[in-house]
Structure formats: structure tokens, C-alpha cells
Amino acid sequence: MPMHPAAPDDRTGLIDAFDHSVQSIIDLGYSCRDEDFDLQTECPGWTVKDQIAHVVGAEKSFAGLPRPQVEVPDYPHVHSDFARFVEVDVEARRGLSGREVVAELAEFHPVRVAQLRESDADIDTVIGGFFGPDTTFGEHLHRRIVDAWVHEQDLRAALDRPGNLDSASAAVFTADILAALPRIASRVAGIGAGHAVVLDVSGPVVARGGARIVTGEDGRPYGETLFSGNDRPDGEEQLDVTSIHLTTDALTRRAAGRRPVDEIHYTVTGDEETARRLLEALVVVTH
């Protein structure tokens, strides 16, 4: 079924989505009382202020500005080299007030968006960079949208200010999860051939996508996109289909690794164990 609202797939639409999510973070930051900046979020180890510090640090890094040089202590939530790398931007701003960090983001964000809009790169232009030498401009924008929107939702959850679950960024995030579903189902969740899994997202972004697991020529299972829970390739027996029904918010919190499976609401049509295995594997963002 078509996604509603549809995820943007053009250069302007993607930049607009990124701009909107970061501007929403700025607006949330300006709405905070001083004590709100110290609220813990669902992103392990990070407060509201830390979340905003990460966003401004990432924006400046991707704009080509030098990163701060600080030592990151062995915090409990810093459990990998990548986590330590990400933590640098947060650690460098621990001595600033929340309002100062928001002001830094508000000042720099228009500069960054102007850079993106003025770039000669089209969505298919290979730009390389942090995400790998073959990264296109469109892929880069997708990853920046996902990062900004997940952190926007982290802030909204901590501040009890729900919103933007029907935004263009929400649609991009949902579309990216559905696109990754065949890989996740077969390689991460280990669901066997002959099975199919469907994510049925009830809204505010309404979407449905899935994966069938088939046996490849090498004898190993792999995932293919499933367009309908009733799809059946010619010559194959009816697939054993498991559908998971959940909201955009529940999908976001799980796929961002913010809440364990037991803390999100979902219902299952089909095999409960298969659904559980998929949801346990369905983490596409780690920070």
C-alpha cells in the first residue's frame, strides 16, 4: 500500500525535511525552562541539553568545521569507539548552559541549510565522506534526516511534547525501515525460508511493508520485498505470514533502540515468536 504522507524523494523535499526537524529541535530548546535541560532522555546517558549538543556538533562536523579536541571519560553509556566519537561533541559543551547550546544551534543551522541548498550535488551524486566512499548526496540527507528526527522525538518524549509524527521526516524514517526489512528479517532476525513478515503501521504515518524469506542458489535464506501479506510467487506454497501492527511512535521508539520490545504496544497476526524475533532485531539507529 502507498505510504501516507509519502516520503520525499527529491533533493528539495529531503533538505526541507531535514530543515524542519532541526528547526523543531531549536523551537523545543527555546521552549525549555532551565531545569528541563537536565531531564534524562531515552537515549542512554543523554539529557535534553546533551541531545541538542549532539545535533549542533553533528551539523558543524558535516559542514566541514574542525571537531573539538576533548577527552571523553569512561561513561557507562560509552561502550564503543563510535559512541566515544559521537560523545566528543556532547562533552565539549558540558560546561555550557542549555540556552547557550540552543543558541549555538539556532545560529549555525541556517548556515548549514544554505550550504545544502547551494550545493551542486544532486541526490545521485557520490559525495563520499563519513558514511563511506560510495555515499550519495541523497543517502547523506536520509541519514541526517533520520538522526535529527530521532533526536527530535527523544526531546519530545522527555519534555512530554508529542508532535511531528506525520512530518516528512517521519515518513523518511518509516520508509527507510521498510526498505531495510528484507535484510533485517533474514540476516539479523534469522527468520527462515518459507516465512514472511509484515509491518503494518497505523499512523500518523500510515504504511505497510514486508519481506518474504526465500532460499538462494547458495542454499542460504535471504529476504525479498513483500508487497502484500497475500503475495505468493508462482510455483511456491503459501507463505507463513506474520503481521505486526503498531503506531508510528511505537515503530520509531523501537527502531531507534530507545525502548525494549516489552515497552512498546503492538499486536500480532500470525506467529508471536516470529514477531518477537523481528522486533528484537529491528534496531536501525544506535545513538
Side-chain angles (χ1 to χ4, degrees), residues 40-142:
Q40 291 294 319
T41 69
E42 291 179 321
C43 189
W46 282 4
T47 63
V48 166
K49 187 189 85 170
D50 295 338
Q51 293 265 0
I52 302 171
H54 163 69
V55 173
V56 68
E59 286 226 36
K60 288 190 169 182
S61 291
F62 285 115
L65 298 182
R67 303 190 75 230
Q69 300 297 312
V70 297
E71 290 293 325
V72 174
D74 292 327
Y75 296 120
H77 62 279
V78 178
H79 46 71
S80 67
D81 289 342
F82 177 71
R84 187 173 298 276
F85 175 83
V86 170
E87 194 73 20
V88 165
D89 293 319
V90 177
E91 185 67 22
R93 292 168 176 82
R94 292 208 188 275
L96 301 178
S97 70
R99 298 197 181 283
E100 287 174 317
V101 176
V102 175
E104 182 185 2
L105 180 58
E107 180 180 5
F108 185 72
H109 178 61
V111 176
R112 178 57 178 155
V113 172
Q115 286 180 342
L116 293 172
R117 295 195 191 281
E118 292 166 5
S119 168
D120 293 332
D122 200 351
I123 57 172
D124 295 324
T125 302
V126 175
I127 62 171
F130 176 78
F131 297 122
D134 297 326
T135 302
T136 66
F137 187 58
E139 290 168 340
H140 175 85
L141 289 174
H142 265 251

Side-chain angles (χ1 to χ4, degrees), residues 241-257:
V241 180
T242 296
S243 295
I244 303 170
H245 313 273
L246 72 178
T247 65
T248 306
D249 182 55
L251 179 66
T252 303
R253 296 290 85 193
R254 179 62 206 140

Side-chain angles (χ1 to χ4, degrees), residues 141-161:
L141 289 174
H142 265 251
R143 295 189 185 195
R144 295 305 306 130
I145 289 166
V146 167
D147 184 66
W149 190 72
V150 166
H151 291 300
E152 177 197 342
Q153 294 303 313
D154 288 337
L155 294 174
R156 290 187 179 281
L159 297 168
D160 195 21
R161 295 276 301 280

